[in-house]
């Protein structure tokens, strides 16, 4: 039984109530003198107090996520690690091996940190002419100059990135119309578009005892793209968009990891994900941390939108558009990315 599962917590609550009821029922029968009645009263009190304490402590643990498995609680999980520092060049080579890309830009990513696998299609702007990976001495500029919509890409320029999360969807995407022209978006906004597909939705958070989605999106995917392509690493130049539950994953990813993604767009009913796939939940998360510097766009017709995302607040910039499509969401990302100030596709 899952240590942070609702079923386990409900069972503990029922045991506590049963212990309290049993104590009230048996107490008059154990009111006499002697060692046996005394031992009975002590047992009843001890059982009730222990069950109450267990219910309280395991509820706090579920809310805080301190222990996510029984093995972790009892110290049975493996704590043996072998660390080898291969340096920056070795790390770049390792991240390059995560992603295998064919000449047509289609490939497969197997995340070494998250263990999550997905298909990735990469679209580069016309004239990109990239090498397999940037030379070790090259580093992206900290503040890239705003590109001109008329100037072609140069062979030494670093590009912003749009991630398109289509995990859990078929190729047709009937929920938001036909797929956009990804190559046209990459060329028009002078950026790199990476389209990620998988049979099941990859959440935007690390689900306790479940899919490590944030590790996949923020570390495995980013590191693999940086190792293969000339991409700007600033979070203000990385945007992510998704449809329905994938849109919810995009919003959660940007809000809960603003150091990797500075923009997110959600199309359709993006609030329909299971609670654990947005753990601990946007409202609860934002109540406990400083407001992140991210820009969000979503369809306001979705139900149960988190209260902290209904209005712009400080560095958290929120925009809404009814009937938002994936194409218009990608256009918004392309125009909103910091490196593309003034660019019109």
């Amino acid at each position: 039984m899952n240590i942070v599962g609702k079923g386990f917590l409900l069972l503990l609550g029922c045991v506590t109530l049963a212990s309290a009821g049993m104590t009230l029922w048996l107490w008059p029968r154990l009111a006499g003198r002697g060692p046996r009645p005394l031992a009975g009263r002590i047992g009843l009190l001890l059982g009730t107090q222990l069950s109450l304490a267990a219910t309280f402590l395991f509820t706090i643990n579920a809310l805080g996520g301190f222990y996510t498995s029984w093995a972790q609680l009892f110290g049975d999980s493996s704590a043996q690690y072998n660390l080898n520092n291969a340096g920056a060049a070795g790390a770049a080579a390792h991240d390059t091996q995560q992603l295998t890309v064919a000449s047509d830009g289609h490939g497969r990513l197997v995340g070494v940190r998250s263990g999550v696998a997905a298909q990735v299609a990469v679209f580069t702007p016309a004239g990109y002419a990239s090498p397999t990976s940037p030379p070790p001495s090259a580093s992206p500029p900290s503040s890239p100059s705003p590109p001109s919509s008329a100037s072609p890409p140069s062979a030494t320029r670093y590009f912003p990135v749009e991630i398109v999360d289509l995990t859990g969807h078929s190729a047709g995407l009937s929920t938001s119309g036909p797929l956009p022209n990804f190559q046209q978006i990459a060329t028009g906004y002078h950026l790199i578009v990476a389209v990620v597909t998988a049979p099941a939705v990859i959440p935007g958070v690390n689900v306790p005892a479940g899919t490590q989605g944030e590790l996949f999106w923020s570390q495995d995917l980013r590191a693999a793209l940086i190792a293969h392509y000339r991409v700007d690493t600033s979070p203000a130049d990385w945007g992510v968009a998704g449809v329905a539950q994938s849109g919810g994953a995009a919003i959660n990813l940007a809000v809960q990891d603003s150091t990797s993604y500075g923009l997110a767009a959600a199309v359709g009913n993006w609030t329909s994900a299971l609670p654990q796939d947005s753990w601990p939940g946007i409202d609860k998360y934002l109540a406990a941390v400083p407001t992140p510097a991210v820009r969000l766009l979503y369809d306001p017709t979705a139900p149960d939108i988190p209260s902290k995302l209904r209005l712009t607040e400080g560095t958290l910039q929120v925009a809404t558009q009814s009937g938002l499509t994936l194409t218009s969401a990608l256009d918004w990302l392309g125009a909103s990315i910091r490196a593309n100030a003034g660019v019109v596709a």
Side-chain angles (χ1 to χ4, degrees):
M1 185 173 291
N2 192 342
I3 192 174
V4 294
K6 292 182 179 179
F8 176 65
L9 297 179
L10 182 61
L11 177 61
L12 281 179
C14 292
V15 170
T16 301
L17 291 176
S19 298
M22 185 70 69
T23 299
L24 293 175
W25 181 57
L26 292 177
W27 195 264
R29 293 167 172 78
L30 299 173
R33 297 182 178 181
R36 295 184 62 183
L38 178 60
R41 292 196 295 271
I42 293 175
L44 288 174
L45 290 175
L46 186 61
T48 302
Q49 295 300 317
L50 287 178
S51 60
L52 180 61
T55 301
F56 175 76
L57 292 175
F58 278 104
T59 300
I60 294 298
N61 176 70
L63 293 175
F66 304 109
Y67 298 95
T68 59
S69 67
W70 291 105
Q72 187 179 11
L73 176 63
F74 292 111
D76 295 332
S77 56
S78 174
Q80 298 179 359
Y81 303 93
N82 294 318
L83 302 179
N84 296 302
N85 186 0
H94 181 72
D95 284 324
T96 301
Q97 295 169 4
Q98 292 186 99
L99 177 63
T100 55
V101 183
S103 58
D104 61 356
H106 290 72
R108 176 176 173 83
L109 172 65
V110 180
V112 296
R113 302 167 182 85
S114 65
V116 176
Q119 301 296 321
V120 181
V122 181
F123 301 84
T124 57
Y128 172 79
S130 73
T132 302
S133 61
S137 60
S139 61
S142 58
S143 298
S145 301
S148 166
S149 59
S151 61
S154 69
T156 59
R157 178 176 155 197
Y158 288 81
F159 295 88
V161 179
E162 280 189 14
I163 302 297
V164 184
D165 179 3
L166 297 184
T167 61
H169 293 283
S170 61
L173 261 188
S174 59
T175 57
S176 63
L179 287 174
N181 187 327
F182 299 119
Q183 184 59 65
Q184 181 178 340
I185 291 172
T187 298
Y189 289 105
H190 294 180
L191 47 75
I192 292 174
V193 178
V195 182
V196 182
T197 57
V201 174
I202 301 175
V205 300
N206 294 329
V207 179
T211 304
Q212 302 300 288
E214 185 179 345
L215 278 179
F216 173 82
W217 296 109
S218 295
Q219 296 192 38
D220 289 334
L221 179 60
R222 271 181 58 100
L225 291 176
I226 290 170
H228 273 272
Y229 298 93
R230 301 192 311 274
V231 299
D232 180 3
T233 58
S234 169
D237 293 329
W238 279 69
V240 56
V243 179
Q245 292 185 24
S246 296
I251 296 290
N252 274 284
L253 179 63
V255 169
Q256 300 190 44
D257 193 355
S258 58
T259 60
S260 298
Y261 292 88
L263 306 98
V267 178
N269 184 9
W270 57 277
T271 59
S272 59
L274 298 174
Q276 62 265 25
D277 287 350
S278 59
W279 185 91
I282 287 178
D283 282 338
K284 183 181 295 185
Y285 178 82
L286 290 179
V289 300
T291 303
V294 294
R295 303 179 66 182
L296 308 176
L297 172 70
Y298 61 76
D299 192 328
T301 61
D304 302 323
I305 295 175
S307 60
K308 290 188 175 293
L309 297 187
R310 292 174 185 167
L311 294 173
T312 290
E313 179 181 350
T315 56
L316 177 62
Q317 303 293 311
V318 177
T320 62
Q321 180 180 330
S322 297
L324 182 66
T325 65
L326 185 55
T327 299
S328 57
L330 296 183
D331 284 335
W332 178 83
L333 285 177
S336 300
I337 281 175
R338 183 189 61 182
N340 280 354
V343 172
V344 178

